């Protein structure tokens, strides 16, 4: 896959029917590295809502849970197909991702005010659903040919609704879009969408 997901091996699959699926496989190596990173991060930053332990299957089920909450909240994101195990050492989540080009790959003149507004509408919908993406950047904001925006990669999502994590998503998108379109345009859009 072109998308790189932390702590997972990712494969994009095209079925004989033409349907596009994405398979994220979390194995022992990825999980062991994640535990070490989370313990270090928790010790250094004391941030809320970041669980350190849990099985790989619990991890993919948590991702699936946040995807279902997002879908229920009207967020345009990948559709959950299945979770499960792949032998003794891997947990797998299969999704049907939405098409689009990452915002970071668009030329600045293609990032219109309508695209910015659609981006912030999705961030607002995510917040209304009580979900923080946790890794939201312009590489995970997808822009379709019709200008609709979708959010990609929920592997670091948090559904606790804690203000810290929700605000962190806002800041991440604000700073990233400011690099693309400049401060004035980047600030105007979330003020309109979020107040």
């Amino acid at each position: 896959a072109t998308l790189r997901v932390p702590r997972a091996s990712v494969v994009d699959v095209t079925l004989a029917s033409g349907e596009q699926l994405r398979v994220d496989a979390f194995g022992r190596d990825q999980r062991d590295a994640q535990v070490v990173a989370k313990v270090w991060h928790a010790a250094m930053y004391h941030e809320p809502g970041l669980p350190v332990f849990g099985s790989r299957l619990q991890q993919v089920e948590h991702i699936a849970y946040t995807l279902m909450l997002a879908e229920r909240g009207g967020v345009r994101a990948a559709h959950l197909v299945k979770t499960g195990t792949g032998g003794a050492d891997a947990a797998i989540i299969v999704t049907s991702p939405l098409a689009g080009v990452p915002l970071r790959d668009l030329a600045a003149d293609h990032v219109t005010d309508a695209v910015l507004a659609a981006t912030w509408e999705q961030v607002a919908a995510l917040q209304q659903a009580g979900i923080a993406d946790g890794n939201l950047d312009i590489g995970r904001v997808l822009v379709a040919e019709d200008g609709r925006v979708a959010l990609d990669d929920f592997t670091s999502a948090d559904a606790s609704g804690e203000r810290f994590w929700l605000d962190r998503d806002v800041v991440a998108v604000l700073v990233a879009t400011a690099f693309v379109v400049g401060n004035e345009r980047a600030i105007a859009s979330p003020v309109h969408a979020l107040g």
Side-chain angles (χ1 to χ4, degrees), residues 61-80 125-132 154 157-161:
E61 287 174 343
H62 177 76
I63 297 166
Y65 171 68
T66 58
L67 282 170
M68 289 189 297
L69 284 178
E71 186 173 349
R72 183 187 301 168
V75 178
R76 288 182 36 83
H79 175 72
L80 174 67
L126 196 65
Q127 298 227 333
Q128 284 291 333
I131 302 168
F154 277 57
D158 176 80
S160 68

Side-chain angles (χ1 to χ4, degrees), residues 11-77:
V11 178
D12 284 335
V13 178
T14 303
L15 302 182
S17 64
E19 183 182 6
Q20 300 285 327
L21 297 178
R22 176 170 294 146
V23 180
D24 297 11
F26 294 83
R28 176 177 294 161
D29 293 341
Q30 290 93 352
R31 181 65 189 150
D32 291 347
Q34 181 183 13
V35 168
V36 171
K38 282 184 173 183
V39 167
W40 180 86
H41 194 86
M44 294 300 293
Y45 295 103
H46 306 289
E47 292 176 340
L50 189 64
V52 176
F53 300 104
S55 72
R56 291 180 294 282
L57 185 58
Q58 289 171 325
Q59 181 180 4
V60 298
E61 287 174 343
H62 177 76
I63 297 166
Y65 171 68
T66 58
L67 282 170
M68 289 189 297
L69 284 178
E71 186 173 349
R72 183 187 301 168
V75 178
R76 288 182 36 83

Side-chain angles (χ1 to χ4, degrees), residues 170-195:
V170 171
V171 171
V173 174
L174 179 62
V175 170
T177 55
F179 280 116
V180 176
V181 299
N183 293 344
E184 286 186 26
R185 285 184 60 210
I187 292 170
S189 197
V191 166
H192 179 71
L194 302 176

Side-chain angles (χ1 to χ4, degrees), residues 53-184:
F53 300 104
S55 72
R56 291 180 294 282
L57 185 58
Q58 289 171 325
Q59 181 180 4
V60 298
E61 287 174 343
H62 177 76
I63 297 166
Y65 171 68
T66 58
L67 282 170
M68 289 189 297
L69 284 178
E71 186 173 349
R72 183 187 301 168
V75 178
R76 288 182 36 83
H79 175 72
L80 174 67
V81 176
K82 182 83 173 151
T83 63
T85 57
D89 294 332
I92 296 171
I93 182 167
V94 181
T95 58
S96 179
L98 297 176
V101 175
L103 189 60
R104 73 163 176 244
D105 295 342
L106 291 178
D109 57 336
H110 285 94
V111 183
T112 64
D113 289 340
V115 167
L116 288 174
T119 300
W120 285 104
E121 286 171 9
Q122 291 305 303
V123 172
L126 196 65
Q127 298 227 333
Q128 284 291 333
I131 302 168
D133 181 276
N135 202 12
L136 195 56
D137 61 27
I138 57 176
R140 289 172 171 79
V141 174
L142 303 177
V143 182
E145 288 183 11
D146 62 3
R148 292 191 302 166
V149 169
L151 304 179
D152 201 8
D153 182 20
F154 277 57
T155 55
S156 298
D158 176 80
S160 68
E162 290 191 39
R163 192 81 247 158
F164 174 89
W165 294 105
L166 299 174
D167 290 344
R168 190 169 139 177
D169 278 355
V170 171
V171 171
V173 174
L174 179 62
V175 170
T177 55
F179 280 116
V180 176
V181 299
N183 293 344
E184 286 186 26

